[in-house]
Amino acid sequence: MSRSRALTRLRWLARHLEKPVLARARRPWLHRLRTEPMARLLLRGRKPLAYRSETIGGVACRVLKGGGGTVFYVHGGAFILFSARSHQGLAARLAQPFGFDVVLPEYARAPEAAFPRALDEVTACYEAVAAASVGPVILAGDSAGGGLALALLHRILHRGLPLPAAVLAFSPWVDLTLSGPSIAANAKSDPILPANAVTMVRDMYLQGGFAEDPEASPVFGDFANGPPVLIQVCEDEILLSDSQAMARRIEGTGGRVTLQVLPEGLHAFQLFLGWIPEADRALDACDDFLRQILLSAPSSPAT
């Protein structure tokens, strides 16, 4: 299927306007001032959403009430950018077909907070959500948030916490050793992520932590007896290898995984739902994946 004009325009804008800025970014606070308002405007979805602020498990969250289950969404942004508010549109779209609640934790970002504080906060929030949910919990995230979601899944399995019914990961960053070959191979083809900035961003997050720790790099985790996982990634991203290695790891440790490698697109393009048809089609595939699982899922999180 040929690329839509909308995606072609978006890729051009990303390559010529956003990627050069990201490659030079050195001050996270200044970069947040630029990206957060833009993200909230462009990624909010097509209709107003009645989100409210709550504290869950000691963590500030954005919450949208539905009923019957919960989408627990961990926002991306290289561990340093964006917020729960910037990703409200995508999280609501995942929940809408099933009438679920939405919870987006406002976890502490780097460099102000070092690893593993973000994961600790996401875990505390998830535990409280899972304990209170009257239906299945869907764990989801994009980019660094997808990596945090999968690190959380590893921690859930390791600690015997309530299981989510399924996990959705969009272009997850899961290997902080930066050993994936696509970081170099796709450095030019990736229209938005600058390969020369990933080491700096990784170090802002880890701050002396070990990249090989599965709670930092879930690609080294153990996913035996875990729930089904869907990973979506584009073939020309620098993080393509991360998704491929993650899928192999889940399968190799006894987990269940579906990897969908999409034609050339944009990192975490699902955020642009309603703007590009490729995002809408990818999210339709998520709906199909979740429907198959939820038909046989228990009415509350399994232990």
Side-chain angles (χ1 to χ4, degrees):
M1 184 178 295
S2 60
R3 193 169 66 213
S4 70
R5 291 182 179 180
L7 178 56
T8 298
R9 288 193 294 269
L10 185 60
R11 283 169 56 90
W12 188 93
L13 290 169
R15 182 178 299 280
H16 295 283
L17 299 181
E18 190 65 16
K19 188 174 183 177
V21 176
L22 291 173
R24 298 191 302 270
R26 295 295 183 272
R27 297 181 179 88
W29 65 269
L30 186 61
H31 203 40
R32 289 171 192 158
L33 290 176
R34 185 184 69 86
T35 57
E36 183 69 17
M38 179 174 60
R40 292 190 189 187
L41 177 65
L42 295 177
L43 309 179
R44 62 185 177 182
R46 293 292 182 163
K47 57 183 180 181
L49 298 168
Y51 274 94
R52 66 193 191 201
S53 296
E54 292 186 17
T55 298
I56 302 176
V59 181
C61 300
R62 294 293 288 170
V63 177
L64 180 66
K65 289 298 184 181
T70 306
V71 170
F72 186 86
Y73 196 94
V74 188
H75 74 82
F79 302 109
I80 63 175
L81 300 176
F82 301 127
S83 68
R85 289 179 182 270
S86 65
H87 284 57
Q88 289 180 166
L90 175 53
R93 165 61 184 82
L94 293 172
Q96 184 273 328
F98 310 100
F100 284 3
D101 293 347
V102 178
V103 175
L104 298 102
E106 198 73 85
Y107 60 86
R109 297 170 300 184
E112 294 86 351
F115 168 79
R117 182 175 165 188
L119 181 59
D120 290 341
E121 293 187 358
V122 168
T123 303
C125 187
Y126 172 83
E127 286 192 78
V129 168
S133 182
V134 298
V137 177
I138 306 301
L139 175 57
D142 66 282
S143 192
L148 280 169
L150 289 161
L152 172 59
L153 178 60
H154 167 81
R155 184 178 272 191
I156 287 168
L157 293 164
H158 180 70
R159 296 185 179 182
L161 302 178
L163 288 175
V167 181
L168 305 174
F170 306 129
S171 304
W173 190 11
V174 295
D175 182 3
L176 300 192
T177 69
L178 309 180
S179 60
S182 63
I183 292 178
N186 288 350
K188 291 184 178 180
S189 64
D190 190 313
I192 191 166
L193 294 184
N196 66 329
V198 292
T199 300
M200 175 192 67
V201 172
R202 184 270 312 273
D203 292 346
M204 283 185 183
Y205 174 61
L206 287 180
Q207 296 187 35
F210 292 105
E212 297 84 359
D213 185 336
E215 295 197 343
S217 298
V219 72
F220 301 113
D222 187 345
F223 300 93
N225 303 312
V229 178
L230 173 64
I231 300 173
Q232 292 181 339
V233 67
C234 295
E235 63 184 7
D236 55 354
E237 292 190 52
I238 62 171
L239 295 183
L240 171 63
S241 297
D242 280 49
S243 289
Q244 293 170 327
M246 190 75 241
R248 290 193 298 269
R249 182 68 178 185
I250 293 171
E251 192 169 51
T253 56
R256 294 169 287 171
V257 62
T258 300
L259 174 64
Q260 296 178 348
V261 181
L262 307 166
E264 55 183 15
L266 191 71
H267 177 69
F269 68 96
Q270 295 86 348
L271 286 160
F272 291 91
L273 63 132
W275 292 98
I276 57 173
E278 289 83 355
D280 297 327
R281 288 196 293 268
L283 294 172
D284 288 343
C286 292
D287 293 345
D288 293 341
F289 175 79
L290 292 176
R291 283 193 188 98
Q292 293 178 24
I293 294 162
L294 294 174
L295 283 174
S296 58
S299 60
S300 61
T303 303

